[in-house]
Amino acid sequence: MLESGTFFKRFASLSSFAIANERLYQVCSDGEADGPFLELEGERFALVPSPTLSQLEDLEARTRQKEVFAFKQEFVIEAFQQEIRSRSEIEDYRSVTHALEFILYEVLPTMIDTAHELGELLGVGDIGTKTGKEVMDEIVTKELKDIEEAGDEDISGLKQAILARLDERVAPIDPRIGDKEQKPTSLLGKIINNGSMYISHGVVFLLEEGKKEHGIVAQFDGRVLHATPLIIGVGAVEERLREALLTKWKREAVEEFEGQLKELGKGDKRRKAALERFADRKEFCYGNLGYIREQDHFYVYWEMPKFAMQHPLKPEQYHPFPPAKISVRINSSHGEIHSHGPYVANAMVHPTLKDWETPYQHICILTQRSFGNSAFDIVRHISYAINAFTSGLTIESLDRHGQRDENAPYFGIPLRKSLYHGGQMTREEAVQQGYRITNEWNLEGRADGPKGTR
């Protein structure tokens, strides 16, 4: 906003001018003989009055009407969001609800958008044409339908809180400058403390009585003023004016967009109500993805349908396993998202799980990778875990567990105990019974055992 500069910067880039008595004066070669004038190295120039500084500031807003309107509207939305997140009474929002909002609006949409990459393995049928965001927006919107419309609330406290963040005081650029007796009415007048100035070629000169150093003399209303260059330049005054104008427009926005603040309050109240409903649920699912809540943590999962893993040493054998909810645990702390995993949310027997009776077991993946906490990183983490969980039983895995046979210990338990727990079948039987086939490693392609990635 105001990247092109204010009227002050535009005037300074075009010609020399003076400021006195809350008014801008243009320097001209001719003018009224008895009017204000400027003497520069013996040559006299007329000072022709332009609109007052307050009028120029109002004109700034009118000429940028659309831009200012958009700025005010955007500010109200951002200020509202900032305020509701800063209130101490919504600490729970910063933890459980913050994590849930991240899951509903970022993680699950990303999972839906990337489901086609694991479509066949996960048994995903018609993925559809809607984006993940569209799908989740529809689900949340449906949840909102039977939530009563929030009535008009008293938003005076909210308005005051937002206004309190905006310092309406305009400190002068230099407290030694200007006339402290008269109170300026314009923002620029406050910045220069109602002083008189001459601006030329990027230099700001202070016009005062009783000083004569640079041969620049100005006369206003019979007062003779002499110029003294200031340390500050046009840029410093411009930046202060820009900040003051933006602050003024922000304060105006709070009043002008009171109706929008009320609507935002309604929407936020309904959104929170919907989030609270989701938070109260033990589990939410959409197709084969979803989350399970355990206190302040959420296990976001992709459910792998029942699958049959090929035996790494006996390729004619396939061992069945039940569906597995492979997940990453997510929580929020101090406004930041944290993820951990991977885990299998449901209790089951599997070589890479330590405890077969308890849910939320960490998957032992020997080749560890580091993943971040963004929605995309979390989805990559789950995808990697699915591949490792269903296709990670390789010759290399056996070697790392000490021996290349069915007695290789996984968590101290022989591999054969977990592999044969669900029985065995041929590939044809597994396909006929609807199992997803995994862990096939092209045995014919290598002499020392199955081809693998681990």
Side-chain angles (χ1 to χ4, degrees):
M1 183 67 184
L2 289 177
E3 284 79 7
S4 60
T6 70
F7 68 89
F8 180 82
K9 181 179 179 180
R10 292 195 295 275
F11 271 106
S13 66
L14 295 173
S15 62
S16 301
F17 63 94
I19 295 175
N21 305 319
E22 284 276 299
R23 189 178 291 275
L24 187 144
Y25 293 81
Q26 293 179 289
V27 179
C28 300
S29 57
D30 54 357
E32 296 182 14
D34 58 348
F37 66 84
L38 178 79
E39 282 189 0
L40 181 60
E41 296 181 355
E43 187 174 358
R44 180 172 292 193
F45 299 89
L47 293 174
V48 179
S50 292
T52 65
L53 299 182
S54 294
Q55 290 172 331
L56 289 170
E57 289 168 4
D58 291 340
L59 181 62
E60 187 82 62
R62 290 199 301 272
T63 55
R64 297 173 179 264
Q65 187 173 3
K66 290 184 179 180
E67 187 181 356
V68 172
F69 179 87
F71 169 79
K72 288 180 176 180
Q73 191 173 46
E74 183 178 351
F75 166 74
V76 165
I77 295 172
E78 291 179 354
F80 173 82
Q81 293 173 341
Q82 182 182 8
E83 179 57 28
I84 64 170
R85 282 165 174 76
S86 65
R87 296 186 175 185
S88 59
E89 64 264 30
I90 58 168
E91 187 61 32
D92 183 61
Y93 177 83
R94 288 186 174 276
S95 53
V96 172
T97 317
H98 177 227
L100 180 57
E101 189 172 31
F102 172 71
I103 291 167
L104 290 176
Y105 291 101
E106 296 189 47
V107 179
L108 295 184
T110 304
M111 292 175 73
I112 293 170
D113 288 338
T114 57
H116 66 279
E117 297 176 10
L118 292 172
E120 183 178 351
L121 180 63
L122 292 174
V124 178
D126 181 16
I127 297 173
T129 58
K130 293 180 181 177
T131 67
K133 183 179 184 305
E134 290 172 338
V135 170
M136 293 310 301
D137 281 347
E138 285 185 4
I139 291 173
V140 176
T141 300
K142 186 179 295 185
E143 194 71 29
L144 290 170
K145 281 186 177 179
D146 60 342
I147 296 177
E148 293 184 4
E149 283 284 351
D152 285 343
E153 296 185 61
D154 181 10
I155 62 168
S156 57
L158 176 62
K159 288 170 57 179
Q160 290 304 314
I162 295 174
L163 290 172
R165 297 175 182 271
L166 303 173
D167 189 354
E168 64 178 335
R169 295 171 299 173
V170 180
I173 199 78
D174 188 329
R176 298 168 297 177
I177 298 172
D179 184 353
K180 298 179 182 178
E181 299 300 324
Q182 285 187 306
K183 290 187 177 181
T185 57
S186 68
L187 296 176
L188 182 53
K190 294 175 182 178
I191 290 169
I192 64 175
N193 208 19
N194 206 33
S196 299
M197 291 184 170
Y198 170 59
I199 295 91
S200 179
H201 301 290
V203 180
V204 179
F205 294 86
L206 177 62
L207 297 173
E208 293 183 295
E209 295 182 17
K211 293 185 179 181
K212 188 174 183 180
E213 295 182 11
H214 286 265
I216 302 175
V217 180
Q219 180 173 302
F220 298 94
D221 303 326
R223 291 193 307 147
V224 178
L225 308 176
H226 299 274
T228 302
L230 294 175
I231 297 176
I232 62 171
V234 168
V237 179
E238 163 69 13
E239 183 59 30
R240 190 70 67 86
L241 177 59
R242 179 182 182 277
E243 291 175 0
L245 282 170
L246 293 180
T247 299
K248 176 187 177 184
W249 294 339
K250 288 176 182 178
R251 297 185 71 84
E252 291 173 353
V254 177
E255 299 297 336
E256 294 172 9
F257 289 85
E258 180 174 333
Q260 186 168 2
L261 274 174
K262 288 182 178 179
E263 288 303 313
L264 287 169
K266 288 182 184 180
D268 182 67
K269 188 173 182 179
R270 298 183 73 226
R271 180 185 177 96
K272 284 181 182 177
L275 287 173
E276 286 171 2
R277 286 194 178 183
F278 280 100
D280 287 341
R281 294 174 178 171
K282 171 70 174 177
E283 183 171 357
F284 164 81
C285 67
Y286 172 75
N288 68 323
L289 57 85
Y291 68 78
I292 302 172
R293 180 183 176 184
E294 289 292 336
Q295 297 181 343
D296 292 344
H297 296 81
F298 295 86
Y299 290 86
V300 179
Y301 66 82
W302 249 328
E303 184 171 36
M304 175 68 193
K306 63 180 184 178
F307 60 99
M309 291 202 306
Q310 186 183 46
H311 196 303
L313 300 172
K314 302 175 181 178
E316 72 281 359
Q317 291 182 9
Y318 287 77
H319 298 275
F321 291 87
K325 292 178 178 176
I326 300 173
S327 65
V328 166
R329 189 178 72 202
I330 297 174
N331 71 291
S332 172
S333 176
H334 303 292
E336 294 185 358
I337 295 295
H338 303 278
S339 62
H340 315 270
Y343 300 89
V344 174
N346 51 297
M348 64 179 292
V349 177
H350 191 278
T352 64
L353 301 180
K354 183 177 182 180
D355 186 344
W356 298 342
E357 304 296 329
T358 307
Y360 311 116
Q361 289 296 303
H362 190 275
I363 301 172
C364 176
I365 301 175
L366 291 174
T367 307
Q368 292 291 350
R369 294 187 184 179
S370 178
F371 295 90
N373 296 312
S374 70
F376 178 74
D377 287 332
I378 289 170
V379 174
R380 280 202 311 134
H381 197 171
I382 300 174
S383 175
Y384 170 71
I386 289 173
N387 283 316
F389 190 72
T390 60
S391 299
L393 192 59
T394 64
I395 292 295
E396 288 84 354
S397 175
L398 292 170
D399 290 343
R400 291 177 184 178
H401 283 82
Q403 55 196 84
R404 196 178 290 192
D405 59 44
E406 292 183 344
N407 290 315
Y410 285 74
F411 293 108
I413 302 173
L415 175 63
R416 54 184 163 76
K417 189 169 183 179
S418 57
L419 273 184
Y420 289 91
H421 180 272
Q424 67 182 68
M425 57 184 66
T426 65
R427 192 182 197 284
E428 290 73 19
E429 290 171 335
V431 171
Q432 289 175 359
Q433 296 180 37
Y435 285 90
R436 300 281 160 184
I437 305 301
T438 68
N439 208 53
E440 293 185 303
W441 295 93
N442 185 18
L443 295 174
E444 294 77 16
R446 54 186 292 182
D448 61 344
K451 183 180 292 185
T453 60
R454 302 174 60 213

